[in-house]
């Protein structure tokens, strides 16, 4: 199990606004549509920190320190994507909520934080494994989508490379934390790479249960509040060629390799649900 140096990470955040590469104008429409979708996803990801930090997860110093720097990097990434949209004449605005999405947003913003905080505090530290599982799936999926942007327009290759490096660091943290939490025995144990620090993490059985629940509840990024059509079209464009579905299955295999999650394949299942309305065979994830 490789350790992730949280201290080094917090001292050296990646600010994609300072890369020095100009935003490419005149992108193909499919590429601009993909960037607009990814901008809305990365921007909305910041809202989830609020829900996480009202649970026992906030008491874990490593996770909290990571999330503070992660929030900065996500903000910078969203601004960088907004810059790409601006030079290509696309208005920077979130997509409208669907009717169901409006109901979900009211619940998420007004009710869920309180209900979730009470419930998760009763459940204890095991819930952190659920948060980390969802974080892993989000980072893996968005990282894949960003990495494949250059398939839509080669002028996005440099931005794609930079964002993939950013997401790879996030995924490294989630991987190290999940591998540790899903493997350890109950009680306070030393953090990976930090032999002098003891952290109470609950039971390995509970951690695995919450990991499985998070995987079962996971949705394709950017589809909780809006109609799935635009996200589905971007997924089809990015993953429907050049071995995209094989890369999805590779990510699912990596997730299933975590202890206790062997039967999970949430990314392909999420993609199949996203494209379920298409006329293509669901068995091939619709791409």
């Amino acid at each position: 199990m490789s350790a992730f140096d949280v201290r080094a990470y917090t001292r050296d955040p990646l600010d994609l606004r300072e890369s020095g590469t100009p935003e490419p104008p005149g992108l193909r429409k499919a590429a601009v549509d993909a960037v607009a979708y990814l901008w809305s996803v990365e921007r909305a990801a910041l809202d989830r920190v609020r829900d996480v930090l009202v649970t026992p997860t906030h008491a874990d110093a490593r996770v909290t320190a990571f999330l503070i720097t992660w929030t900065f990097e996500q903000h910078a990434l969203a601004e960088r994507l907004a810059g790409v949209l601006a030079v290509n004449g696309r208005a920077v605005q979130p997509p409208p909520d669907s009717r169901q999405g409006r109901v979900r947003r009211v619940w998420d913003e007004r009710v869920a934080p309180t209900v979730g905080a009470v419930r998760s505090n009763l459940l204890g530290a095991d819930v952190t494994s659920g948060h980390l599982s969802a974080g892993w799936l989000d980072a893996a999926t968005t990282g894949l989508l960003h990495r494949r942007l250059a398939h839509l327009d080669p002028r996005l290759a440099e931005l794609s490379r930079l964002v993939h490096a950013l997401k790879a660091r996030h995924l490294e943290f989630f991987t190290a934390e999940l591998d540790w939490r899903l493997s350890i025995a109950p009680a306070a144990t030393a953090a990976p790479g930090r032999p002098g620090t003891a952290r109470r993490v609950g039971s390995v059985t509970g951690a695995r249960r919450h990991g499985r629940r998070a995987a079962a509840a996971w949705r394709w990024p950017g589809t909780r509040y809006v109609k799935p059509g635009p996200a589905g079209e971007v997924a089809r464009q990015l993953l429907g060629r050049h071995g995209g579905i094989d890369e999805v299955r590779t990510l699912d295999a990596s997730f299933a390799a975590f202890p206790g999650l062997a039967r999970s394949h949430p990314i392909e299942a999420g993609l199949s649900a996203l494209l379920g309305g298409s006329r293509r065979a669901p068995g091939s994830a619709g791409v």
Side-chain angles (χ1 to χ4, degrees):
M1 171 175 52
S2 61
F4 183 89
D5 192 335
V6 173
R7 289 182 179 178
Y9 172 71
T10 59
R11 288 194 300 265
D12 187 28
L14 297 179
D15 187 346
L16 295 191
R17 298 169 299 183
E18 299 178 351
S19 69
T21 57
E23 316 301 0
L27 294 174
R28 298 169 183 168
K29 181 180 182 301
V32 177
D33 289 344
V35 172
Y37 160 72
L38 288 168
W39 170 81
S40 68
V41 168
E42 304 297 359
R43 174 182 171 275
L46 297 170
D47 296 337
R48 294 199 297 276
V49 176
R50 169 203 62 199
D51 300 332
V52 170
L53 294 182
V54 296
T55 72
T57 298
H58 84 277
D60 189 300
R62 277 174 61 85
V63 176
T64 301
F66 169 82
L67 286 176
I68 291 171
T69 304
W70 175 88
T71 299
F72 170 80
E73 291 184 331
Q74 286 290 126
H75 175 72
L77 170 56
E79 287 202 353
R80 181 69 188 270
L81 296 175
V84 174
L85 295 175
V87 301
N88 283 276
R90 178 68 63 90
V92 181
Q93 58 184 16
D97 291 349
S98 66
R99 182 176 300 176
Q100 275 189 325
R102 287 194 294 271
V103 174
R104 288 186 183 130
R105 191 179 292 278
V106 169
W107 170 266
D108 288 351
E109 294 180 353
R110 301 183 185 179
V111 182
T114 301
V115 173
V118 172
R119 177 178 176 273
S120 61
N121 277 282
L122 290 173
L123 292 171
D126 291 339
V127 300
T128 302
S129 295
H131 295 147
L132 293 167
S133 296
W136 192 99
L137 293 168
D138 286 341
T141 304
T142 55
L144 173 61
L145 295 175
H146 279 287
R147 185 163 59 81
R148 293 180 64 86
L149 276 175
H151 288 302
L152 298 184
D153 197 308
R155 288 167 290 182
L156 287 171
E158 178 60 13
L159 177 60
S160 175
R161 182 188 67 80
L162 291 170
V163 180
H164 182 255
L166 178 81
K167 296 290 183 177
R169 289 214 302 176
H170 298 170
L171 199 60
E172 184 183 351
F173 170 80
F174 290 124
T175 297
E177 286 291 309
L178 272 178
D179 196 24
W180 175 62
R181 288 171 180 275
L182 300 177
S183 302
I184 60 173
T189 58
R194 300 279 299 284
T197 58
R199 302 155 68 198
R200 180 157 296 279
V201 294
S203 72
V204 66
T205 301
R208 292 178 181 181
R209 182 172 64 251
H210 282 284
R212 290 191 294 270
R213 287 178 177 175
W218 184 78
R219 290 173 173 267
W220 193 261
T223 60
R224 179 161 178 79
Y225 303 121
V226 304
K227 293 181 179 179
E233 183 56 33
V234 169
R236 199 185 320 279
Q237 290 287 337
L238 289 174
L239 302 174
R241 62 190 81 178
H242 307 300
I245 188 60
D246 291 333
E247 293 196 59
V248 166
R249 289 169 179 160
T250 297
L251 291 178
D252 268 340
S254 295
F255 187 75
F258 288 116
L261 305 183
R263 298 181 180 179
S264 301
H265 47 86
I267 301 179
E268 186 173 6
L271 182 59
S272 294
L274 178 68
L275 302 178
S278 80
R279 290 173 291 178
R280 303 189 185 190
S284 62
V287 294

